Amino acid sequence: MVSQLPLAHWHHQGLQLWHLAHTPGSRGEPLARTVLGPALGMAPAALPISRSERGRPQLDAPLGGFDAGWSHSGGHLLVALGQRVRLGVDLERIQPRPKMAEVIARFFHPAEIDWLLGLDEAGRQHWFFRVWCAKEALLKAHGHGISFGLHRFALLARGSDLVLAHSDVELGPAASWQLHEWAIADDFRAALAWQVAGACDNGGHEHPYPPR
């Protein structure tokens, strides 16, 4: 894989993120290696990347203290890197979802259902993709992916922000999770979720902020 200059490179609370142009239909890992390698002082091909039983990428020794993830959609690839954290990144294209209300009612947490189905169509469209993208990022960080169950934790609005309002015990305390989300392009949402390594050993937690 030939290295390319990232479209953007950010530093956020000790984490690094890269936005790269991506060829639809191609794998994300080879391109992710081209930015992770230099950042970690290794040749891209030499990076010790393996997969968990559930397919989550992980960095092995001597880079076991680092975590990395990537997500691609359309012509975009996001790559994230952090140390002493578990992180997940997701990228979603905003497009019409004719059965959006059915998806919410079937798969989301009861508090999210009450909130999202109470919005008008424009509001529901806006928040649905933000919630979905953030849920994917958090579950990638956790390592189980979407099979864990979207209904087992709730992301709710606090003003213009999303907060983790309820966390399943297996995810650890809600306060242990950090979330950053943004629009990477007019029709794409991006989300980065991370947790200090080992924090999920504690019980679930209710966030004090109500939805708005």
Side-chain angles (χ1 to χ4, degrees):
M1 171 64 65
V2 177
S3 179
Q4 62 166 269
L5 290 176
L7 300 175
H9 180 202
W10 304 285
H11 293 262
H12 182 76
Q13 296 190 22
L15 283 70
Q16 294 189 65
L17 294 108
W18 294 265
H19 176 201
L20 299 104
H22 177 258
T23 302
S26 63
R27 295 175 60 238
E29 181 177 324
L31 190 54
R33 284 176 174 270
T34 67
V35 292
L36 293 173
L40 293 167
M42 297 185 71
L47 284 174
I49 297 175
S50 64
R51 298 273 177 168
S52 71
E53 292 182 359
R54 296 181 180 273
R56 183 184 188 275
Q58 55 195 25
L59 289 164
D60 299 324
L63 301 174
F66 290 88
D67 195 29
W70 50 87
S71 180
H72 57 84
S73 181
H76 303 273
L77 172 72
L78 280 179
V79 184
L81 174 67
Q83 189 172 16
R84 294 186 293 276
V85 297
R86 288 181 63 87
L87 61 80
V89 64
D90 192 58
L91 182 61
E92 297 287 339
R93 182 192 293 271
I94 300 172
Q95 54 190 339
R97 292 282 184 95
K99 297 185 178 181
M100 182 183 296
E102 295 178 31
V103 171
I104 293 168
R106 181 176 179 183
F107 296 109
F108 280 22
H109 186 280
E112 294 168 335
I113 296 171
D114 289 344
W115 164 45
L116 292 170
L117 294 188
L119 299 174
D120 60 25
E121 185 174 350
R124 188 179 305 126
Q125 166 98 358
H126 170 79
W127 285 106
F128 171 83
F129 285 100
R130 290 180 61 177
V131 171
W132 185 278
C133 189
K135 278 179 174 281
E136 287 259 28
L138 192 148
L139 289 177
K140 288 179 180 180
H142 179 243
H144 279 240
I146 201 169
S147 63
F148 179 79
L150 297 174
H151 64 286
R152 295 176 65 179
F153 61 104
L155 291 163
L156 300 173
R158 181 193 175 202
S160 61
D161 297 327
L162 273 180
V163 297
L164 181 57
H166 173 76
S167 174
D168 185 276
V169 64
E170 290 188 34
L171 295 175
S176 70
W177 285 96
Q178 300 289 324
L179 176 66
H180 180 64
E181 39 144 9
W182 69 105
I184 200 168
D186 289 343
D187 55 345
F188 281 90
R189 292 297 306 185
L192 171 70
W194 70 99
Q195 182 186 54
V196 174
C200 65
D201 296 335
N202 299 317
H205 178 72
E206 295 289 338
H207 198 286
Y209 302 115
R212 293 183 181 178

